[in-house]
Amino acid sequence: MTTPAARALAALALDPGGLGGLCLRARFGPAREMFETALARLPGEARRIHPAISDTQLFGGLNIAASLAEGRPIADPGLIDTPCRLILTMAERTSPGLAARLSRILDQRTGHSLIALDEGTGPEERLPDALTDRLAFHIEPEEGRGSPIMLPAPADLDDARARLAQVITPDDTLPALTALAARFGIDSLRAPLFALRAARALAALDDCPEVTDDHLREAAELVYPSRATQIPQEPEPEPEQPEQSPPDDTDREGEDQSAPDIPEDILVQAIAALLPADILERTAKRNRAAASGSGAGNRRAGNRRGRPLPSRPGRPDAQARIDTVATLRAAAPWQTLRRTEANAHRAIIIHPGDIRLKRFEDRSDRLLIFAVDASGSAAVARLNEAKGAVELMLAQAYARRDQVALIAFRGDRADELLPPTRSLVQAKRQLASLPGGGGTPLAAGLVAATELAGHAAGRGLTPMLVLLTDGRANIPLSGEPGRKAALEDAEAVAAGLYARGITGVLIDTSNRPAEQARNIAARLGARYIALPRADARGISTAVSAALDS
Amino acid sequence: MGGRQAARPAWTEYMKTAFPFSAIVGQDDMKQALILTAIDPGLGGVLVFGDRGTGKSTAVRALAALLPPIRQIAGCPVNSADAADIPDWAEVADRDMVERPTPVVDLPLGVTEDRVTGALDIERALTRGEKAFEPGLLARANRGYLYIDEVNLLEDHIVDLLLDVAQSGTNAVEREGLSIRHPARFVLVGSGNPEEGELRPQLLDRFGLSVEVGSPTDIDERIEVIRRRDAFETDYDTFMAHWQAEDTQIRDAILAARAALRQTDAPESILRDCAQLALSLGTDGLRGELTLLRAARALAAYEGAAAVDRDHLARVAPLALAHRLRRDPLDEAGSGARVNRAVADVLQ
């Protein structure tokens, strides 16, 4: 039996440039081993790369040692020079910069394809979206399972590749695929294009002269599920009917914009069955990853600590350290010239312009976690003011280099409404509508804040808490209403936060400031501010003042 | 580093197989902005911001293929039109004029300063022990376009360098006892996704026009996008033959507009409107209203109008002003809508 992974790999072997590549998301285990075994059997050249690959390796560059020995410049070829399958290991650690470079290689259609082996565990650890979008297939095998991936013989693949250009695509295939993508909320136009090309490759593999409905379905099943952002609702009569589809069939209510022979509902159901169970959650988290994983804003290039970056020219001073090797490399090509000019016979002549300084990437930005009590009648107003404050803080964040996240707690749970971000655009999009009402699970809110803070600290951010509440907790962690237990739980979690060294501010939003909130603030070790009619600007000012003091 | 890899085709050669500009479906603002800078390069470039897969890169690359050719002295490293402009360090043997496509130079992420500004020619130093200057990307972009994809991911020190050169129009290199200066007048075109990091206000302001793009929401439009893309990839020759005729029409219109630009009149009342718009939006400095006027004039010339009218002004106002507004995070509508409100108020 051929698995989706096998079909995807075979299709990719036929049309590597057109399909871009494949992302396998699996921890190291049997499934991944089977995949790698199959990968090794694919014809064509493959090169393994890793997220820390340098530009010289990717794009080529001057080989200093060889150039000096030969007395003429010798260039090292880069991976971009020969079409090959790039296998990116530990793809979840790919930086946005590398993703942009790899995207460019894929966009140039030089015959490269990319196999990303993503071992990420949490939603934050994944291949950057810019790259994911350019890979046709995404495969996420079940944990711990591994079955051999059966690929066609290389000769069969060659035959199929020769047939690919002759495969006929019926006129209605493209409209059907596009409409289908729209119903699953897939915004990027690359998805239907990939599905179309995948359908052709599958037809060529099966030695069919034209793309059939089965190929169409299979292609959609391979390309769409991982990109879906919504589960299709009941089909509504769509006004837009593609001009190209045959106008003859009259009884196709509710299934317009699909291939005439295969009702759209069947297609939709087939794909819906393959959607990840946690699709909605994933969509939310994907946005989070986009916001924080990008990291373009939250890294800081310093010259003392952090992850090493390529060195650059500069003058050494008390702050900077010289990169000796890079300096020597910079000076090496000019030695002949300088010896002649200076008429000197020193072993090596270094000029100030050669000096390269070490640079490091450092992350020490602050993450402001807004934990907002969304319970009771004042919830909506309070949330809206908190949202305003978040946006105001973000507007200033460029100068302050802060990130902001927002957690709302109500009923029996806490929701992370805005994952850590510096992007005002993200914040606006995600905070468009806010739920409110219900009990006050203060402890759950603090637990969520603790988790988020731990995560942020792990990524080198300095978390700080801004808690907006009246302190009148009535839902403990167990979920069973009870004022006493609720307060005890909240105080215990607050003490835990304090123990972790997370500082912050508690803004008491109740009309009559009461003892409870003050107690929580004391447990948190947080500054207590009573702001009965807290508005966005008031909150933002108070928070800025409290955090800067 | 620097030196020899400067001549590597992967970085430098512009894609010969650009998607035809006229075949891009929708995205009218983006196309409009790109055409306006082609008519008046003094507008100061375009910034294209938007989601993935919306054809930002495609449009900019398509523009390269569309632009009218320039005349320059053969072999001049800075594409000089006039013998007097050839820098003294360049060894240009004869003074033959050649016609060539408008240069569009890609600035790759992770580029080194040497590659941008130019540096000593490493080959000459190694083989002949001579000092010679090897020009960088800024020299090649002179009289053309400098394109930065993912401009918001570019390293800060390169951004600073670019801003400085874009401002002065001159690139200066001091190294190994060489002191090199050459003209570097280019139109900056940047593209990026705001969710991957915001752009410094100083850089934002350097771009004359800004556009936000999104995926088309209409199913038929989406189908047409993919249909054309697929035809481009699978049936290249037929596709290009069809669209190149349309591209030629746009190119001719751009050429006609360039010629007409000087004669296109901007009446006193329009100048007043520009100032009024900028005032009511509180844009900093005069750059906004100046760009607004130039963009409106370019649009008028493109449409064959004798003078700029309020309609031209209203249509280019969001392009020229939206990115210059102070951000008001509590305003839901976004800056484009604010400009349109102001346009409605001021121009009635």
Side-chain angles (χ1 to χ4, degrees):
Chain A
M1 195 213 138
T2 46
T3 56
R7 292 289 271 178
L9 274 179
L12 201 55
L14 293 201
D15 187 8
L19 291 170
L22 178 151
C23 176
L24 177 83
R25 188 167 161 89
R27 297 293 298 275
F28 212 81
R32 162 137 175 202
E33 258 173 61
M34 297 293 181
F35 184 83
E36 290 224 41
T37 315
L39 204 54
R41 282 206 303 270
L42 274 186
E45 195 187 343
R47 306 287 294 269
R48 284 181 96 86
I49 58 174
H50 54 88
I53 189 167
S54 70
D55 280 358
T56 322
Q57 284 169 287
L58 267 181
F59 298 105
L62 189 77
N63 184 331
I64 295 274
S67 302
L68 284 179
E70 292 272 319
R72 64 188 175 85
I74 309 268
D76 274 338
L79 289 170
I80 193 173
D81 292 331
T82 36
C84 61
R85 191 162 50 247
L86 297 170
I87 300 173
L88 177 65
T89 53
M90 283 168 285
E92 73 281 1
R93 296 179 55 83
T94 306
S95 68
L98 178 64
R101 290 164 176 79
L102 291 172
S103 301
R104 165 169 295 208
I105 294 181
L106 293 177
D107 285 352
Q108 283 178 343
R109 304 281 161 128
T110 41
H112 287 84
S113 62
L114 180 75
I115 310 279
L117 302 175
D118 181 338
E119 289 183 51
T121 46
E124 292 84 7
E125 280 187 327
R126 8 179 266 113
L127 193 64
D129 284 337
L131 206 45
T132 316
D133 194 50
R134 287 175 164 87
L135 306 178
F137 305 119
H138 299 261
I139 293 178
E140 207 161 329
E142 278 176 54
E143 197 87 25
R145 288 285 189 80
S147 52
I149 295 172
M150 311 297 287
L151 286 178
D156 292 344
L157 283 177
D158 288 340
D159 289 347
R161 192 177 302 113
R163 288 192 294 267
L164 184 59
Q166 275 82 53
V167 172
I168 298 162
T169 315
D171 280 348
D172 46 27
T173 305
L174 177 54
L177 284 173
T178 312
L180 198 58
R183 292 202 57 192
F184 282 92
I186 303 172
D187 207 33
S188 169
L189 285 166
R190 287 198 182 94
L193 190 61
F194 281 142
L196 180 68
R197 300 194 73 118
R200 279 190 198 132
L202 293 170
L205 278 172
D206 294 346
D207 199 2
C208 282
E210 72 170 13
V211 174
T212 67
D213 293 335
D214 284 341
H215 297 133
L216 190 149
R217 194 192 65 230
E218 195 183 353
E221 286 176 1
L222 282 173
V223 176
Y224 290 166
S226 66
R227 299 168 198 261
T229 61
Q230 66 183 41
I231 301 164
Q233 303 304 309
E234 282 297 295
E236 56 212 275
E238 289 283 349
E240 60 263 281
Q241 178 161 338
E243 301 148 26
Q244 290 79 4
S245 63
D248 50 347
D249 31 21
T250 43
D251 55 341
R252 6 183 296 159
E253 285 177 62
E255 47 158 286
D256 35 355
Q257 35 151 300
S258 77
D261 300 336
I262 177 164
E264 193 188 65
D265 283 353
I266 294 184
L267 264 177
V268 168
Q269 280 162 17
I271 294 165
L274 292 172
L275 289 180
D278 51 348
I279 170 174
L280 293 180
E281 202 177 322
R282 263 180 201 227
T283 313
K285 287 190 174 153
R286 181 165 305 180
N287 292 333
R288 161 202 305 185
S292 60
S294 80
N298 61 22
R299 295 197 176 112
R300 193 165 58 198
N303 47 22
R304 294 166 77 81
R305 59 208 164 96
R307 197 173 74 85
L309 288 174
S311 52
R312 56 170 305 225
R315 295 196 183 284
D317 55 25
Q319 298 291 309
R321 282 187 289 166
I322 293 180
D323 185 338
T324 317
V325 176
T327 304
L328 288 174
R329 275 174 67 98
W334 316 112
Q335 294 309 308
T336 329
L337 184 61
R338 289 177 189 169
R339 279 195 211 109
T340 330
E341 277 190 355
N343 202 8
H345 295 281
R346 274 179 288 156
I348 183 156
I349 306 171
I350 308 257
H351 287 183
D354 300 326
I355 291 175
R356 296 291 183 271
L357 300 181
K358 286 189 175 170
R359 285 192 308 153
F360 298 95
E361 189 171 78
D362 182 20
R363 308 211 230 175
S364 57
D365 300 344
R366 203 156 54 172
L367 170 66
L368 298 180
I369 302 171
F370 280 79
V372 182
D373 183 344
S375 64
S377 53
V380 177
R382 197 185 293 133
L383 267 170
N384 278 332
E385 295 306 339
K387 175 190 165 194
V390 164
E391 291 177 1
L392 277 171
M393 303 287 300
L394 273 176
Q396 307 158 2
Y398 190 81
R400 304 162 52 105
R401 293 198 166 267
D402 286 345
Q403 294 195 33
V404 178
L406 190 145
I407 294 169
F409 49 96
R410 69 188 181 100
D412 56 359
R413 45 187 256 171
D415 297 307
E416 189 183 309
L417 294 182
L418 178 72
T421 185
R422 273 186 54 205
S423 164
L424 197 55
V425 183
Q426 280 273 343
K428 277 182 181 295
R429 184 173 299 176
Q430 300 201 16
L431 297 180
S433 66
L434 299 169
T440 309
L442 182 52
L446 289 173
V447 167
T450 312
E451 280 173 6
L452 189 58
H455 225 98
R459 289 189 293 118
L461 294 166
T462 311
M464 295 184 131
L465 181 67
V466 180
L467 182 61
L468 270 76
T469 181
D470 54 12
R472 297 191 174 90
N474 57 16
I475 313 277
L477 287 177
S478 67
E480 295 296 323
R483 249 171 219 292
K484 187 159 174 288
L487 259 177
E488 281 171 10
D489 277 358
E491 289 186 358
V493 182
L497 267 165
Y498 178 63
R500 284 164 172 253
I502 294 161
T503 55
V505 196
L506 188 149
I507 297 178
D508 190 343
T509 51
S510 57
N511 292 335
R512 280 160 288 130
E515 209 51 41
Q516 295 105 313
R518 207 178 283 274
N519 279 340
I520 299 281
R523 291 295 173 105
L524 276 172
R527 186 185 261 246
Y528 173 87
I529 301 170
L531 273 181
R533 294 198 200 288
D535 63 1
R537 285 181 201 280
I539 295 171
S540 143
T541 314
V543 169
S544 297
L547 294 182
D548 288 341
S549 60
Chain B
M1 290 300 297
R4 215 50 242 163
Q5 81 256 45
R8 300 173 52 73
W11 285 125
T12 58
E13 279 301 308
Y14 218 73
M15 287 212 311
K16 297 278 186 296
T17 56
F19 191 81
F21 191 79
S22 48
I24 296 169
V25 181
Q27 312 294 16
D28 294 331
D29 278 354
M30 174 165 64
K31 288 195 278 190
Q32 183 75 270
L34 287 172
I35 287 174
L36 293 182
T37 50
I39 294 169
D40 183 0
L43 270 174
V46 187
L47 179 67
V48 188
F49 255 148
D51 297 332
R52 282 173 288 279
T54 44
K56 295 178 301 236
S57 314
T58 306
V60 180
R61 289 168 203 284
L63 181 77
L66 175 89
L67 287 174
I70 60 167
R71 286 181 62 74
Q72 69 157 87
I73 289 169
C76 175
V78 297
N79 316 325
S80 304
D82 199 331
D85 297 340
I86 302 178
D88 48 7
W89 47 265
E91 294 145 12
V92 183
D94 41 34
R95 296 286 180 267
D96 295 342
M97 298 297 282
V98 288
E99 210 164 71
R100 56 161 293 182
T102 300
V104 177
V105 174
D106 252 308
L107 191 91
L109 291 176
V111 68
T112 60
E113 280 159 289
D114 282 6
R115 286 271 291 114
V116 177
T117 59
L120 270 184
D121 186 335
I122 211 164
E123 178 166 10
R124 297 265 293 269
L126 275 172
T127 53
R128 290 187 260 165
E130 288 173 7
K131 276 201 283 194
F133 179 69
E134 179 172 19
L137 297 175
L138 292 176
R140 296 226 325 276
N142 191 32
R143 300 182 64 208
Y145 282 66
L146 188 69
Y147 175 49
I148 316 170
D149 195 8
E150 311 273 3
V151 60
N152 44 348
L153 297 183
L154 199 65
E155 286 211 57
D156 277 350
H157 66 270
I158 302 285
V159 174
D160 296 343
L161 195 157
L162 283 178
L163 292 187
D164 191 38
V165 177
Q167 183 79 15
S168 63
T170 308
N171 177 35
V173 183
E174 309 277 346
R175 193 175 161 169
E176 297 280 338
L178 279 186
S179 181
I180 296 292
R181 237 157 246 288
H182 69 74
R185 288 179 209 289
F186 48 83
V187 177
L188 266 184
V189 180
S191 70
N193 181 348
E195 294 193 3
E196 283 166 0
E198 311 231 336
L199 214 55
R200 285 164 56 200
Q202 295 88 328
L203 187 55
L204 268 181
D205 191 47
R206 287 302 199 288
F207 289 95
L209 307 176
S210 78
V211 195
E212 277 196 36
V213 294
S215 297
T217 47
D218 176 63
I219 286 273
D220 288 338
E221 204 175 317
R222 292 176 69 95
I223 291 172
E224 193 52 35
V225 172
I226 300 170
R227 192 190 304 285
R228 290 187 191 172
R229 187 81 218 178
D230 185 53
F232 172 71
E233 284 172 10
T234 52
D235 191 9
Y236 180 75
D237 292 334
T238 324
F239 186 75
M240 291 307 271
H242 175 71
W243 289 103
Q244 257 159 6
E246 309 230 354
D247 263 12
T248 309
Q249 278 184 13
I250 299 183
R251 178 183 314 139
D252 292 346
I254 289 177
L255 281 178
R258 278 186 184 173
L261 197 57
R262 279 174 199 279
Q263 283 87 52
T264 309
D265 190 33
E268 187 65 27
S269 65
I270 288 293
L271 301 185
R272 190 164 290 278
D273 286 340
C274 284
Q276 193 67 45
L277 262 178
L279 264 182
S280 73
L281 283 164
T283 56
D284 298 333
L286 287 170
R287 206 193 284 262
E289 46 199 288
L290 219 67
T291 312
L292 181 61
L293 180 65
R294 290 186 84 145
R297 180 180 276 144
L299 181 62
Y302 187 62
E303 295 183 345
V308 180
D309 63 25
R310 282 189 156 184
D311 176 55
H312 297 131
L313 211 55
R315 278 155 61 200
V316 296
L319 301 179
L321 297 179
H323 59 298
R324 299 175 202 275
L325 304 190
R326 288 253 173 81
R327 259 196 310 204
D328 180 357
L330 299 183
D331 184 351
E332 279 305 320
S335 38
R338 272 165 70 198
V339 175
N340 282 328
R341 273 205 304 268
V343 166
D345 285 350
V346 173
L347 306 183
Q348 306 286 340

